[in-house]
């Protein structure tokens, strides 16, 4: 297990982190929930606490159980075992139409026979709200999602982005305690998706709501969420802020799923003063602050490409945290350049260099022998 | 992925089949239909303005191709609208038209009442057995119409199985007279045309995204209300298709009123048949056919408009 | 949809019972030993034996089958052509009239169709009989093939045909080598549909048939008017058996193909 991080990870200071306050009461408590379909466990003994006003992302590949978990929160699926509580009250047996949560569907599920206005008003009508009040609220929602001129249109007459906003407005109209979003941006093209991510965040801030979003797009989760639950095979691998997920992944799976990572397998040689020395097949590495491992433990050393320095000359200490190899591939991406470096042992490691200047003298080229070096706090030790 | 639109002129000409084969493919069915479908109607139309005659064929004037070329005028002046005034003046025909429409409407309503729950039930059945249920619904349609109508005679008649069952159960003391009444016709029509009601409704329900109902539930709408707010309105195209598919043929139905109806039953299909085969009055039966067609033209056109819109929407 | 509620199950069950009960009763009573059709007198296949000695019925059956085979085959060709025309040719003179004429027979009462065709044959001075019934059936059932084939053509991927043409196939050949094999199930379904429609038809045949060409439904009808008889029950049972067998076999073949396709797709996905 990764140790409690010594420094604040990432370059953000968060003012909102109720999950680290033991006295804070979570809004949603998923308590050892299992959901089986014909013997297959889509969600397996899963527990999770989500706090008021949190933007929480359930992240994982398709089939990891994230959608099933969301549908259990909405009430469309019943847990096979375990309990889900909202505000301390169990939701077991509460049908979807009585739950104070609303969902934005992946396909939007806009009612094709109703205008934009009617779609937004639908939920309010179910509550028996007064006509004038409904009209006011609908107008407010239309303004919020900037769709005023389209109120009378049918969903089919709107673009994908507009439909997405109608769906959002409809699910927000009832001011739910929790808004569930199932791949909310999945149907949008890349550019629109990036814009909408920030819009969603602003909206959530403005309304002070709790959002639970399901996504398979790690970048989307990193951009929007306060905390991310990385899921795999019906279980949660790690729940943490995007910075922690990236800088201190709990498992090899998480490290690999989020961003790029170089992983070297090895064995712990020695542990002293909170420094761990690992013998990998590519060479010896030393890591700071990896508690809980003992000599001779099999472990993996993980380091992100941007945390390695690439140079023609060997570093001061070449016996540890320095690996020699030759440049195998170069990819110029504009903001960064990727170098794939092949070590004598055959391992290929990736290093990225930020292109802070428009031009540099004497750049690296293919087949050059280079050194990859890194400080002892750059990488982490993975035991799972 | 969407298909690439073929608006480049070069591609168009390349793809277009050669003129000759294209002309052939259009001409054969076109000429066939002109000759065997449109021409007969024109003939019916013409004969409906002719006079009855004791001759072979039993009407006057007989206009041949030669007459069209030369000197057909005197013959054309023999045409009359007597047959239509006769139909309009005889309450029997007027009543027959009206009662056909009424009985078709009642049967259609009953078929909808019976068919909708079945279609809904099939649409909600587990996916694995859904196609089997659809097949079971279609299967009776493949067996002879005549046989299916005939099967009801043995059930509905006074000493038939239904009465035997009801008497045995003690529900009734005297056998009910069902056969040869309008009730028997309703049963017959509903029975014969039920698949036509079920299938389009099923198709529209099956096509529907069930997430719409979930979304309604999610927004606070209980299941029963969600049915009337979402499911039913979205199945309306299917319902309308079903209504027309039952109503239109039911109006002109002959076999069912003939076999299950009584002597007092008036349906225009049967009237036409009797006029033609029993009275051998070809001009009047032609006029009856023309009027029946006029009566049906409006629902048929509405139906085709609906179908076209449906296809346009897909 | 996961809740197949009791109400759903009940309505499907009642609906199917309503559809099948009368036919089932008819089949059962065809094995009734008693001549009284509503009193059960024990099991017997007597009436089936009787049937094969009824020359009139056998002749009618033979006529009907010939009419149905011939008319279904011609109809399938014509109906497929009409479907191709409607699906592919969007502009030619009189397209509206054409599409109207294709669709109209489907919703037109049989009595009108029968009467109008009869009057045509009379005007042409054609002797009514076997051939006039065939012509009438072709005309009245064409629309069904067109509808079935057209709905398949709508979902047919035109790029297949384009690929064939790109590889040097002239359009008509591309149709026979590529399109037709792909839409074949729909064409076959159209054939089966028109075959059974022709087999069943009473009204149009009654109008357009002449001496010596009495079809089975006409024969059955003339006897049914006199009342329910066990022989007719037996004839009907045989017809039902033939048609059900055909439909079930077709469905099984279809299903086998679907399963094979599903398996192929699974293999492809691996």
């Amino acid at each position: 297990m990764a140790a409690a991080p010594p420094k604040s990870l990432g370059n953000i200071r968060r003012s909102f982190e109720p999950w680290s306050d033991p006295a804070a009461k979570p809004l949603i408590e998923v308590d050892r929930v299992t959901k089986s379909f014909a013997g297959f466990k889509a969600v397996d003994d899963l527990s999770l606490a989500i706090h008021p006003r949190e933007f929480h992302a359930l992240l994982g590949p398709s089939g990891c159980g994230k959608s099933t978990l969301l549908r259990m929160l909405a009430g469309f699926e019943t847990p096979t075992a375990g309990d889900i509580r909202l505000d301390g009250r169990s939701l077991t047996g509460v049908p979807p139409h009585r739950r104070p949560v609303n969902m934005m569907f992946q396909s939007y599920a806009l009612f094709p026979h109703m205008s934009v206005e009617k779609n937004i008003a639908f939920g309010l009508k179910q509550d028996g709200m007064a006509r004038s009040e409904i009209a006011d609220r609908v107008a407010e929602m239309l303004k919020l999602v900037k769709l005023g001129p389209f109120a009378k249109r049918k969903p089919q007459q709107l673009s994908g982005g507009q439909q997405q906003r109608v769906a959002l407005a409809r699910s927000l109209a009832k001011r739910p305690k929790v808004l569930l979003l199932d791949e909310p941006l999945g149907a949008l093209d890349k550019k629109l998706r990036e814009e909408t991510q920030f819009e969603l965040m602003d909206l959530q801030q403005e309304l002070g709501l709790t959002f639970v979003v399901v996504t398979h797009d790690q970048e989307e989760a990193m951009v929007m969420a306060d905390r991310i639950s990385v899921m795999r095979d019906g279980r949660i691998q790690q729940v943490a802020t995007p910075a922690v997920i990236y800088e201190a992944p709990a498992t090899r799976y998480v490290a690999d799923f989020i961003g790029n990572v170089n992983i070297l397998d090895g064995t712990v040689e020695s542990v002293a003063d909170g420094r761990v020395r690992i013998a990998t097949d590519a060479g010896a590495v030393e890591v700071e602050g990896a508690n809980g491992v003992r000599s001779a433990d099999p472990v993996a050393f993980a380091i992100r490409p941007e945390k390695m320095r690439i140079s023609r000359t060997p570093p001061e200490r070449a016996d540890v945290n320095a690996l020699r190899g030759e440049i195998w591939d170069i990819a110029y991406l504009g903001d960064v350049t990727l170098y794939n470096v092949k070590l004598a042992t055959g391992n290929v490691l990736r290093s990225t260099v930020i292109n802070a200047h428009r031009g540099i003298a004497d750049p690296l080229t293919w087949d050059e022998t280079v050194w990859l070096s890194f400080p002892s706090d750059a990488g982490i030790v993975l035991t799972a | 992925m969407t298909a690439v639109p073929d608006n480049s002129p070069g591609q168009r000409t390349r793809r277009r089949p050669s003129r000759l084969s294209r002309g052939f493919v259009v001409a054969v069915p076109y000429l066939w239909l002109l000759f065997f479908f449109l021409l007969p109607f024109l003939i019916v139309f013409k004969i409906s303005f002719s006079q009855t005659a004791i001759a072979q064929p039993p009407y006057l004037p007989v206009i041949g191709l030669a007459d069209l070329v030369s000197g057909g005028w005197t013959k054309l002046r023999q045409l009359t609208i007597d047959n239509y005034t006769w139909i309009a003046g005889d309450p029997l025909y007027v009543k027959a038209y009206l009662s056909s429409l009424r009985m078709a409407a009642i049967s259609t309503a009953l078929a909808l009442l019976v068919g909708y729950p079945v279609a809904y039930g099939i649409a909600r059945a587990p996916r694995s057995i859904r196609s089997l249920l659809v097949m079971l619904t279609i299967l009776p349609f493949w067996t002879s119409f005549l046989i299916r109508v005939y099967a009801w005679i043995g059930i509905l008649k006074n000493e038939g199985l239904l009465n035997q069952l009801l008497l045995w159960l003690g529900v009734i003391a005297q056998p009910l007279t069902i056969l040869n009444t309008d009730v028997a016709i309703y049963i017959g029509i509903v029975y014969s045309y039920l698949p036509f009601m079920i299938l389009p409704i099923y198709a529209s329900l099956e096509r529907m995204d069930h997430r719409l109902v979930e979304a309604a539930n999610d927004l606070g709408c209980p299941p029963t209300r969600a049915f009337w707010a979402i499911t039913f309105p979205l199945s309306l195209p299917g319902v309308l298709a079903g209504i027309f598919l039952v109503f239109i043929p039911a109006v002109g139905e002959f076999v069912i009123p003939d076999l299950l109806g009584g002597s007092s039953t008036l349906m225009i299909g049967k009237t036409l048949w009797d006029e033609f085969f029993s009275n051998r009055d070809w001009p009047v039966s032609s006029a009856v056919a023309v009027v029946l067609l006029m009566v049906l033209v409006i629902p048929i056109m509405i139906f085709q408009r609906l179908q076209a819109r449906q296809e346009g929407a897909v | 949809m996961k809740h197949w509620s009791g109400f759903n199950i009940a309505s499907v069950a009642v609906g199917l019972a309503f559809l099948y009960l009368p036919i089932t009763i008819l089949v059962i009573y065809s094995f009734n030993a008693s001549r009284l059709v509503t009193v059960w007198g024990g099991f017997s296949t007597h009436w089936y034996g009787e049937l094969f000695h009824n020359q009139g019925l056998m002749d009618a059956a033979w006529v009907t089958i010939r009419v149905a085979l011939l008319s279904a085959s011609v109809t399938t060709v014509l109906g497929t052509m009409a479907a191709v025309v409607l699906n592919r040719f969007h502009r030619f003179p009189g397209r509206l009239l054409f599409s109207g004429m294709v669709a109209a027979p489907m919703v037109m009462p049989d009595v009108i169709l029968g009467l109008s065709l009869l009057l045509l044959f009379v005007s042409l001075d054609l002797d009514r009989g076997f051939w006039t019934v065939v012509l009438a059936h072709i005309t009245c059932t064409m629309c069904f093939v067109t509808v079935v084939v057209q709905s398949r053509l709508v979902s047919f991927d035109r790029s297949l045909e384009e690929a064939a043409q790109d590889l040097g196939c002239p359009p008509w050949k591309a149709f026979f080598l590529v399109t037709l094999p792909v839409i074949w199930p729909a064409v076959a379904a159209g054939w089966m549909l028109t075959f059974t429609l022709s087999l069943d038809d009473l009204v149009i045949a009654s109008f357009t048939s002449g001496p010596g060409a009495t079809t089975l439904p006409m024969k059955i009808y003339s006897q049914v008017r006199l009342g329910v008889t066990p022989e007719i029950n037996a004839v009907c049972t045989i017809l039902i058996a033939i048609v059900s067998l055909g439909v079930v076999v077709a469905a099984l073949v279809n299903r086998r193909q679907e399963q094979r396709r599903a398996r192929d797709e699974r293999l492809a996905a691996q």
Side-chain angles (χ1 to χ4, degrees):
Chain A
M1 273 286 134
K7 306 173 193 170
S8 178
L9 290 174
N11 49 7
I12 333 174
R13 184 201 298 277
R14 290 190 172 265
S15 54
F16 175 76
E17 41 181 26
W19 46 85
S20 36
D21 174 7
K25 240 182 65 130
L27 181 64
I28 304 171
E29 291 163 276
V30 178
D31 187 6
R32 306 202 57 182
V33 162
T34 298
K35 175 71 189 176
S36 326
F37 294 107
F40 166 74
K41 282 186 180 167
V43 171
D44 188 4
D45 197 18
L46 183 146
S47 296
L48 176 67
I50 296 170
H51 291 264
R53 308 185 61 139
E54 182 179 344
F55 199 133
H56 194 97
L58 301 172
L59 175 66
S62 62
C64 72
K66 56 189 193 301
S67 288
T68 309
L69 179 58
L70 197 76
R71 288 173 61 80
M72 284 194 285
L73 291 174
F76 299 123
E77 308 285 352
T78 325
T80 314
D83 193 18
I84 297 174
R85 285 184 294 274
L86 184 76
D87 250 348
R89 278 213 307 266
S90 171
L91 284 178
T92 307
V94 181
H97 64 273
R98 298 235 172 77
R99 295 192 181 201
V101 300
N102 284 134
M103 177 149 160
M104 195 188 130
F105 288 78
Q106 181 175 9
S107 54
Y108 308 145
L110 296 176
F111 305 131
H113 57 305
M114 298 181 191
S115 63
V116 167
E117 232 173 17
K118 293 241 168 72
N119 262 285
I120 297 175
F122 186 88
L124 304 170
K125 277 195 192 139
Q126 304 308 318
D127 288 355
M129 196 186 254
R131 226 165 236 271
S132 58
E133 228 178 313
I134 292 181
D136 290 349
R137 182 75 68 86
V138 169
E140 181 194 330
M141 296 319 295
L142 283 169
K143 204 174 143 209
L144 190 71
V145 295
K146 305 182 193 88
L147 280 176
F150 301 97
K152 303 281 182 213
R153 292 233 192 141
K154 292 278 175 72
Q156 308 82 284
Q157 300 166 324
L158 300 176
S159 72
Q162 290 165 337
Q163 289 183 12
Q164 191 261 359
R165 278 134 78 132
V166 178
L168 186 65
R170 187 181 70 178
S171 51
L172 282 173
K174 293 184 78 174
R175 308 247 161 90
K177 284 188 173 163
V178 180
L179 182 67
L180 309 170
L181 304 101
D182 189 359
E183 301 274 6
L185 312 176
L188 305 182
D189 60 52
K190 195 169 180 332
K191 192 133 187 98
L192 194 55
R193 192 158 60 211
E194 279 166 9
E195 283 170 31
T196 316
Q197 284 168 2
F198 287 100
E199 280 179 20
L200 269 181
M201 288 160 70
D202 293 345
L203 209 61
Q204 189 248 358
Q205 285 284 312
E206 204 178 310
L207 300 174
L209 295 176
T210 309
F211 276 27
V212 180
V213 59
V214 152
T215 176
H216 66 276
D217 181 341
Q218 45 130 334
E219 198 180 305
E220 191 172 299
M222 300 279 279
V223 169
M224 297 194 297
D226 292 315
R227 281 198 306 162
I228 299 174
S229 292
V230 182
M231 290 184 64
R232 181 196 191 186
D233 298 338
R235 289 164 176 273
I236 289 182
Q237 296 261 318
Q238 186 173 15
V239 187
T241 61
V244 172
I245 295 266
Y246 187 79
E247 303 294 354
T251 66
R252 196 182 177 118
Y253 179 81
V254 174
D256 202 31
F257 192 77
I258 314 284
N260 282 306
V261 71
N262 297 302
I263 293 181
L264 295 169
D265 288 303
T267 342
V268 176
E269 249 178 31
S270 63
V271 185
D273 326 328
R275 287 173 88 87
V276 184
R277 196 181 161 91
I278 302 165
T280 74
D281 50 1
V285 293
E286 227 173 55
V287 187
E288 254 176 38
N291 293 338
V293 292
R294 283 172 309 187
S295 241
D297 279 354
V299 291
F301 170 73
I303 183 162
R304 301 278 181 195
E306 73 280 5
K307 298 198 167 55
M308 286 198 288
R309 212 175 86 85
I310 185 164
S311 60
R312 288 200 180 94
T313 49
E316 280 171 38
R317 267 189 77 186
D319 63 323
V320 74
N321 291 1
L323 307 166
R324 207 174 85 115
E326 60 183 46
I327 295 181
W328 197 248
D329 281 315
I330 306 177
Y332 179 78
L333 300 184
D335 52 348
V336 294
T337 303
L338 308 182
Y339 298 93
N340 280 351
V341 176
K342 192 171 193 185
L343 309 184
T345 53
N347 306 49
V348 177
L349 298 188
R350 171 172 297 175
S351 165
T352 53
V353 175
I354 292 168
N355 298 324
H357 303 283
R358 290 184 59 223
I360 68 167
D362 195 15
L364 296 168
T365 186
W366 282 267
D367 297 337
E368 264 190 86
T369 301
V370 290
W371 287 86
L372 294 171
S373 58
F374 40 89
S376 57
D377 65 350
I380 57 161
V381 180
L382 297 172
T383 52
Chain B
M1 287 288 139
T2 50
V4 179
D6 54 339
N7 39 17
S8 66
Q11 226 178 352
R12 277 235 150 163
T13 42
R14 183 178 62 76
R15 184 190 289 164
R16 183 170 288 171
S18 69
R19 268 212 157 141
L20 199 69
S21 63
R22 180 187 156 97
F24 177 76
V25 171
V26 176
V28 172
Y30 207 138
L31 291 177
W32 183 285
L33 286 170
L34 279 180
F35 192 76
F36 287 105
F37 184 73
L38 195 63
L39 182 60
F41 271 107
L42 297 178
I43 293 173
V44 170
F45 195 66
K46 191 223 103 188
I47 293 178
S48 72
F49 291 100
S50 304
Q51 294 161 19
T52 315
I54 301 170
Q56 187 60 270
Y59 56 85
L60 272 173
V62 179
I63 299 179
L65 282 175
D67 297 316
L68 290 178
V69 183
S70 64
W73 184 240
T74 44
K75 284 194 171 182
L76 280 179
R77 283 171 63 180
Q78 286 177 277
L79 296 179
T80 75
I81 59 161
D82 285 358
N83 299 315
Y84 290 96
T85 43
W86 162 261
I87 291 173
D90 190 337
L92 178 86
Y93 291 105
V94 179
K95 266 194 200 157
Y97 282 113
L98 291 179
S99 105
S100 294
L101 290 173
R102 195 194 75 232
M103 296 184 68
I106 294 173
S107 318
T108 306
L110 291 172
L112 178 62
L113 233 52
V114 178
Y116 199 100
V118 179
Y120 188 73
I122 297 176
R124 301 215 64 175
R127 194 171 287 276
S128 51
I129 64 164
R130 231 182 276 165
S131 60
L132 177 74
L133 292 175
V134 171
M135 205 187 98
L136 283 174
T137 315
I138 301 173
L139 191 60
F141 166 75
W142 290 88
T143 63
S144 169
F145 188 78
L146 183 60
I147 293 175
R148 282 181 289 145
V149 176
Y150 162 73
W152 279 98
I153 299 179
I155 298 173
L156 295 180
K157 58 186 187 174
N158 278 5
E159 64 278 22
L161 292 165
L162 182 65
N163 273 321
Q164 286 182 24
L165 178 75
L166 292 177
L167 284 170
W168 181 74
L169 287 172
V171 180
I172 51 171
Q174 290 289 314
L176 296 172
T177 308
I178 305 174
L179 192 65
N180 303 329
T181 67
D182 288 358
V183 175
I185 298 179
Y186 297 144
I187 294 176
I189 294 179
V190 171
Y191 179 70
S192 305
Y193 292 103
L194 193 59
F196 289 112
M197 185 61 87
I198 295 177
L199 291 174
I201 297 177
Y202 164 76
S204 62
L205 285 172
E206 147 93 309
R207 236 195 339 257
M208 206 182 89
D209 183 0
H210 76 280
R211 274 165 212 278
L212 294 174
V213 175
E214 283 188 351
N217 289 342
D218 185 66
L219 293 164
C221 193
T224 320
R225 205 170 341 138
F227 173 82
W228 291 110
I230 309 295
T231 313
F232 188 73
L234 287 178
S235 67
L236 270 181
V239 171
L240 283 178
I243 286 176
F244 282 108
L245 283 175
V246 175
F247 179 79
I248 293 168
V251 173
E253 185 52 55
F254 160 72
V255 177
I256 296 171
D258 189 57
L259 291 183
L260 301 180
S263 51
S264 64
T265 307
L266 276 176
M267 278 191 84
I268 200 66
K270 188 164 150 40
T271 309
L272 196 160
W273 178 285
D274 291 340
E275 202 61 58
F276 187 84
F277 284 105
S278 311
N279 300 348
R280 283 186 60 80
D281 193 334
W282 293 16
V284 168
S285 40
S286 295
V288 170
V290 170
V291 174
L292 173 54
L293 206 60
M294 307 250 198
V295 169
L296 286 179
V297 134
I298 293 165
I300 288 175
M301 280 173 67
I302 298 174
F303 176 65
Q304 294 205 328
R305 184 70 51 85
L306 284 173
Q307 290 297 98
R309 201 195 299 165
Q310 276 270 95
E311 273 158 32
V314 168
Chain C
M1 305 205 188
K2 53 211 160 75
H3 300 299
W4 204 32
S5 72
F7 176 72
N8 294 152
I9 296 172
S11 46
V12 172
V14 169
L16 289 179
F18 176 62
L19 285 177
Y20 281 89
L21 218 54
I23 302 176
T24 316
I25 290 170
L26 183 147
V27 170
I28 293 171
Y29 273 85
S30 74
F31 295 103
N32 189 358
S34 162
R35 175 138 209 115
L36 292 166
V37 278
T38 49
V39 179
W40 184 252
F43 180 85
S44 157
T45 52
H46 172 75
W47 306 111
Y48 288 86
E50 204 88 319
L51 219 59
F52 290 98
H53 296 113
N54 185 335
Q55 196 53 45
L57 269 182
M58 296 316 282
D59 287 347
W62 180 228
V63 168
T64 310
I65 289 173
R66 272 160 49 219
V67 167
L69 282 175
L70 206 60
S71 66
S73 305
V74 178
T75 299
T76 305
V77 174
L78 284 175
T80 306
M81 283 169 100
V84 171
V85 170
L86 287 177
N87 184 254
R88 299 292 166 82
F89 305 157
H90 294 288
R91 265 187 304 176
F92 59 87
R95 188 182 191 278
L96 197 68
L97 175 66
F98 182 72
S99 63
M101 287 196 302
V102 168
M106 202 152 42
V107 282
M108 204 143 288
D110 285 352
V111 277
I112 297 184
L113 290 170
L115 177 70
S116 65
L117 279 160
L118 165 69
L119 295 180
L120 172 78
F121 296 141
V122 169
S123 321
L124 293 175
D125 219 3
L126 273 180
D127 278 337
R128 278 174 284 147
F130 179 81
W131 289 102
T132 48
V133 179
V134 171
L135 288 175
H137 279 183
I138 293 171
T139 308
C140 300
T141 55
M142 201 171 124
C143 51
F144 292 94
V145 177
T146 306
V147 165
V148 173
V149 174
Q150 205 191 348
S151 68
R152 180 65 189 86
L153 279 174
V154 167
S155 62
F156 175 76
D157 183 0
R158 284 291 294 268
S159 59
L160 291 181
E161 227 171 68
E162 286 169 9
Q165 289 182 33
D166 183 64
L167 295 167
C169 219
W172 61 270
K173 208 171 166 191
F175 179 81
F176 282 104
L177 291 182
V178 177
T179 315
L180 200 55
V182 174
I183 65 167
W184 185 247
V187 176
W191 188 90
M192 272 197 55
L193 183 60
T194 49
F195 181 80
T196 39
L197 285 172
S198 169
L199 216 57
D200 280 359
D201 168 64
L202 165 70
V203 175
I204 293 165
S206 299
F207 274 103
T208 54
S209 171
T214 307
T215 64
L216 195 54
M218 287 164 71
K219 196 88 189 166
I220 295 174
Y221 173 71
S222 64
Q223 298 203 12
V224 162
R225 296 203 67 173
L226 306 174
V228 181
T229 64
E231 286 108 324
I232 293 298
N233 281 349
V235 179
C236 294
T237 303
I238 292 175
L239 273 181
I240 292 170
I242 293 172
V243 171
S244 324
L245 200 72
V247 174
V248 169
V249 167
L252 287 179
V253 170
N254 208 345
R255 193 181 177 141
R256 166 92 60 85
Q257 276 174 347
E258 297 245 311
Q259 278 171 348
R260 189 177 301 160
R261 211 180 56 207
R263 203 183 56 211
D264 290 349
E265 275 166 12
R266 264 205 312 280
L267 275 178
Q270 275 171 5

